[in-house]
Amino acid sequence: MSNDALGRVRGFDPAKLAAVGPALQPFIDRGELAGIVTLTSHRGRVVQSEALGWSDIETRRAMRPDTLFRIASMTKPITSAAALMLVEQGRIALSDPISRWIPELAERRVLRNAAGPLEGTVPAQREITLEDLLTHRSGIAYAFFSEGPLKQAYEEALGDPAMNRLTPDEWLAALGTLPLAYQPGELFHYGHSTDVLGFLIGRLLGRPLDRVLREMIFTPLGMESTDFWLPRDKRSRLAILYSYDEAAGRLAKVVPDMYDEPPAYTPGGGGLISSAPDYHRFARMLLGEGENDGVRLLKPETVRLMRTNRLTNAQRQVPFAGMPLWQKSGFGLGLSIAEDPVDNPYACGAPGSITWPGIFGTWWQADPVHDLIMIYLIQHQVPVSANSGATIATGRGAAGRRALPVYQHAIYGALQGG
């Protein structure tokens, strides 16, 4: 933003706000990140926006405010919002068993030990419900957050969770051959629950999830650059994904597979490509209790349900990816809710702030206390395993991830009295 624009920002210290970009630039100068895009709004008005570094180091293509990013699990809140729109319409209820639409997941078997042999199972005590999917208490796992034989079984049956050549029906049939890691409702276990939720939405409405999201959310909110697929003529807008090569001492390009045409497989848990301005429109809708710029998608009471913790006290004692996250945050319907923002790996600022980040370092937060939205986008791959949450969230073992708290502290440090 220009100095003149910064000077007109109300509620912030202009000098501190102007210092956000310079505070982040060293991560790029040291070669720890290729580039960063940030967008911050206060009371509906953009007060800070930065596009730093490169979307492609090799070609020296600069980051732009509208650069596109693989937002990974930032897809989950969008799919969850679509499901809750259908709840409001009476098409489905939180307590409904999902086998009504996905018979492949009826009569589940459950591992006696989540890391034990696949043959050691017991019958599920009840059906998986819609609420179980929204709160990751279905017992459905991810390969990379699993241990023991289940990890390999997921990899072999389902393949890549992001880029996949299976149809939704084929993928659900494959998932149906696998046991659950835990009993439905037993605990928060991060996995493919939101992918299943997206395919359930598609079956319920009789059309693919990408079309559903476009019609129900993207078009009404003006999210014109958000999709599961990127045609060749738009790929120059997509930021390159990098990882840090320890042996070479520098960032190395990661080249994920890309579709040549719109895919049948559209994972509602992690497949979207989007931009800071587009995701800001979605976050504004949530912060506005279901409405943004005169467009209402959800009732206020539904959004309040989304940001109300559903985890029991016992479930909150179980670490998430090796972190005691639920000691600091709750989890509602598709979102985490900050309760104690001090030293919280996923949130900052004020209690009640909502978020859910993406595995490539993308992060956002909507703070209802300060009417503040923060969006921070990078493309930075780190190793992922069942206990890698500290690396993913805080940068331990991945220096580039340490730029996020710099951004967070700088914005709140510049805020004057809310």
Side-chain angles (χ1 to χ4, degrees), residues 86 89 91 101 168-169 197-213 215-216:
L86 298 178
Q89 295 169 15
R91 306 289 294 271
W101 297 274
D169 288 350
L197 179 65
F199 295 138
L200 185 156
I201 291 169
R203 284 189 175 179
L204 175 63
L205 296 180
R207 52 191 190 271
L209 180 64
D210 59 337
R211 181 179 164 191
V212 172
L213 295 183
E215 294 172 352
M216 294 178 63

Side-chain angles (χ1 to χ4, degrees), residues 61-408:
R61 188 175 72 228
M63 281 289 188
R64 296 164 45 94
D66 65 348
T67 291
L68 298 174
F69 292 80
R70 296 174 176 89
I71 62 170
S73 287
M74 282 172 55
T75 304
K76 289 179 170 70
I78 295 175
T79 303
S80 299
L84 291 168
M85 292 171 73
L86 298 178
V87 171
E88 287 188 353
Q89 295 169 15
R91 306 289 294 271
I92 191 170
L94 292 178
S95 60
D96 280 347
I98 67 169
S99 59
R100 178 178 170 188
W101 297 274
I102 305 179
E104 295 95 332
L105 298 182
E107 300 179 358
R108 295 287 76 212
R109 303 289 298 182
V110 183
L111 289 174
R112 289 193 178 92
N113 178 346
L118 300 181
E119 299 77 20
T121 65
V122 297
Q125 295 170 0
R126 64 165 176 80
E127 293 263 20
I128 299 170
T129 66
L130 180 70
E131 180 175 345
D132 292 332
L133 295 181
L134 285 161
T135 58
H136 293 280
R137 294 182 294 185
S138 66
I140 297 169
Y142 272 138
F144 50 81
F145 276 152
S146 297
E147 297 179 293
L150 189 63
K151 177 181 176 67
Q152 182 176 350
Y154 261 82
E155 291 172 344
E156 293 177 351
L158 301 182
D160 190 325
M163 304 293 291
N164 203 301
R165 304 296 175 179
L166 298 177
T167 67
D169 288 350
E170 290 169 341
W171 188 89
L172 288 168
L175 180 63
T177 67
L178 300 169
L180 300 179
Y182 298 95
Q183 288 285 345
E186 182 180 353
L187 54 79
F188 182 106
H189 186 64
Y190 202 43
H192 286 288
S193 288
T194 317
D195 297 322
V196 174
L197 179 65
F199 295 138
L200 185 156
I201 291 169
R203 284 189 175 179
L204 175 63
L205 296 180
R207 52 191 190 271
L209 180 64
D210 59 337
R211 181 179 164 191
V212 172
L213 295 183
R214 190 178 310 114
E215 294 172 352
M216 294 178 63
I217 296 178
F218 302 155
T219 297
L221 292 181
M223 298 171 66
E224 298 176 354
S225 297
T226 302
D227 206 337
F228 289 98
W229 175 67
L230 195 62
R232 288 187 179 276
D233 61 357
K234 293 185 179 180
R235 290 183 188 177
S236 61
R237 288 183 57 196
L238 181 65
I240 298 297
L241 178 63
Y242 291 94
S243 63
Y244 194 79
D245 186 330
E246 295 285 353
R250 58 178 175 81
L251 291 171
K253 182 184 290 190
V254 179
V255 186
D257 190 18
M258 295 196 73
Y259 300 113
D260 291 326
E261 57 187 24
Y265 176 81
T266 51
L272 285 175
I273 293 169
S274 190
S275 67
D278 268 20
Y279 209 88
H280 179 255
R281 293 180 179 94
F282 176 74
R284 279 299 306 166
M285 183 275 294
L286 292 179
L287 196 58
E289 295 198 320
E291 184 270 337
N292 183 37
D293 288 340
V295 175
R296 177 163 294 282
L297 298 187
L298 290 165
K299 297 176 182 177
E301 54 267 34
T302 301
V303 178
R304 289 194 287 270
L305 272 180
M306 290 184 77
R307 61 192 200 201
T308 299
N309 174 59
R310 316 286 283 198
L311 302 183
T312 67
N313 288 334
Q315 289 168 348
R316 300 182 72 162
Q317 306 310 308
V318 180
F320 168 67
M323 300 181 296
L325 178 62
W326 310 128
Q327 303 300 305
K328 298 283 186 176
S329 293
F331 197 87
L333 299 175
L335 297 164
S336 67
I337 310 102
E339 295 176 350
D340 178 2
V342 178
D343 294 328
N344 188 317
Y346 274 19
C348 60
S353 296
I354 54 176
T355 183
W356 197 250
I359 203 166
F360 299 134
T362 57
W363 176 88
W364 69 285
Q365 177 175 279
D367 174 350
V369 174
H370 299 103
D371 197 358
L372 182 72
I373 290 174
M374 302 168 64
I375 296 175
Y376 168 94
L377 303 178
I378 62 174
Q379 294 286 261
H380 185 241
Q381 181 172 281
V382 296
V384 179
S385 66
N387 295 299
S388 63
T391 295
I392 297 167
T394 67
R396 286 195 287 275
R401 295 299 177 102
R402 296 176 189 157
L404 174 57
V406 172
Y407 167 63
Q408 294 169 335

